Amino acid sequence: MNRRLCTLLLSLVVLWTVGAGAARADEGKRVHNAMQIVFSPSMTYPFCTIGAVGTDKYGHRIAISAGHCIRDAAYADREIHDDVAPVYDRADTGFGPIGYVRYFKDPEGSQTGHPTKDYMIIELVPQVTLSSQGPYLKQTGVLKVPGGTASPNAPGPALDTERLLATGANELVVSGQTGVWFGTVMDNTGGIYRSAAANLTGDSGGPAVWHVPGSELPSQDNGFQASGPWAGITKAITLSFPPFEYTSSANILADLRARDAAAPKGVYGAGFEVTTNP
């Protein structure tokens, strides 16, 4: 089972952060879904991918990726207020950090003990511009499923954003290294969607949107573009069929709300909304 784990040594990252302190203040650098990210400017492989970009209820500028992209037991499963874990655009590490990791699930927990909570919260720096438009996918808000089955992470009563897509009648459209793919949600175990929509190692954390019935699917005729509300992030390639797993946005948003309610000062990412910036 390929779980695509990236190793992050935070002690080394701190040194790299000091060295990158004079990062270019290129205002307007666009950060968007499907942007590939790394955690050291000297290591552009392995890498992960951004799944969604927006803001939280506290006004923080947020990007979301997969929790299993980082391994460091000293920082897992807690808020990281210090800038010890920078995140770089893989295609432009010279810019300096585009943001800093504020929370991630321990990879062992994410893949075994906490399979429904495999996510990472990144606070973006002021020098970047948030965008809802990735190379292939335009995200039109956050998926809401009125009356659907609640995520197992949802406090009661669950919000519409914390409810899950039904299997067999819904499609995911995903974006990664090999372009854009779509496939029916064939299984939903604990808010982890299984679909034939393909991904590769490095696509972890990348975007998945819901195919709105009646809207165009990506094709050569429309430049392989698609739009829809954010529905989740790439999680894993497994030995099951179909092999591709996606952590639902419902799971992530529900866990953020539950953690926020338990934290005296709140948590980064709570109340996340996808940016409306083009």
Side-chain angles (χ1 to χ4, degrees):
M1 187 175 293
N2 183 351
R3 292 298 185 182
R4 303 189 302 280
L5 300 180
C6 299
T7 300
L8 174 64
L9 301 176
L10 290 178
S11 58
L12 294 178
V13 166
V14 171
L15 297 176
W16 278 114
T17 303
V18 172
R24 299 198 316 264
D26 290 357
E27 290 191 6
K29 178 181 178 64
R30 200 168 63 90
V31 176
H32 51 79
N33 71 74
M35 174 181 279
Q36 294 176 356
I37 53 174
V38 293
F39 304 95
S40 166
S42 66
M43 296 176 61
T44 57
Y45 189 89
F47 61 92
C48 279
T49 303
I50 288 177
V53 175
T55 55
D56 67 14
K57 71 178 189 179
Y58 300 109
H60 302 124
R61 295 142 57 84
I62 299 293
I64 296 179
S65 189
H68 70 256
C69 293
I70 295 182
R71 299 194 71 170
D72 193 299
Y75 287 87
D77 300 324
R78 69 175 180 84
E79 296 292 290
I80 307 172
H81 298 286
D82 298 324
D83 296 345
V84 296
V87 179
Y88 299 83
D89 175 3
R90 184 178 182 238
D92 183 19
T93 58
F95 176 85
I98 62 169
Y100 295 89
V101 177
R102 297 304 184 205
Y103 177 83
F104 68 95
K105 273 292 181 185
D106 177 82
E108 294 303 319
S110 295
Q111 300 301 325
T112 55
H114 303 286
T116 67
K117 303 178 181 182
D118 185 0
Y119 70 96
M120 174 194 301
I121 298 297
I122 302 163
E123 183 185 20
L124 299 169
V125 300
Q127 292 83 6
V128 304
T129 297
L130 281 57
S131 175
S132 59
Q133 178 67 63
Y136 298 101
L137 301 182
K138 181 175 181 62
Q139 293 177 332
T140 57
V142 173
L143 177 65
K144 297 180 180 180
V145 185
T149 302
S151 161
N153 301 337
L159 305 178
D160 287 350
T161 54
E162 298 166 352
R163 295 181 179 275
L164 301 164
L165 291 171
T167 60
N170 290 282
E171 288 182 296
L172 295 180
V173 187
V174 307
S175 176
Q177 300 164 71
T178 58
V180 61
W181 300 85
F182 56 89
T184 301
V185 176
M186 300 301 295
D187 185 67
N188 172 8
T189 301
I192 303 301
Y193 300 136
R194 190 180 300 279
S195 172
N199 61 69
L200 293 176
T201 298
D203 291 338
S204 285
V209 302
W210 177 54
H211 172 233
V212 179
S215 66
E216 281 192 293
L217 286 166
S219 68
Q220 189 170 8
D221 290 340
N222 61 23
F224 298 100
Q225 298 293 304
S227 64
W230 175 55
I233 61 175
T234 299
K235 177 177 174 62
I237 303 172
T238 72
L239 297 178
S240 300
F241 184 83
F244 306 108
E245 285 188 343
Y246 297 87
T247 300
S248 64
S249 57
N251 277 13
I252 296 169
L253 295 173
D255 191 60
L256 283 167
R257 185 162 71 98
R259 292 197 302 109
D260 188 59
K265 296 183 179 180
V267 301
Y268 287 94
F272 176 80
E273 291 286 348
V274 170
T275 182
T276 58
N277 292 341

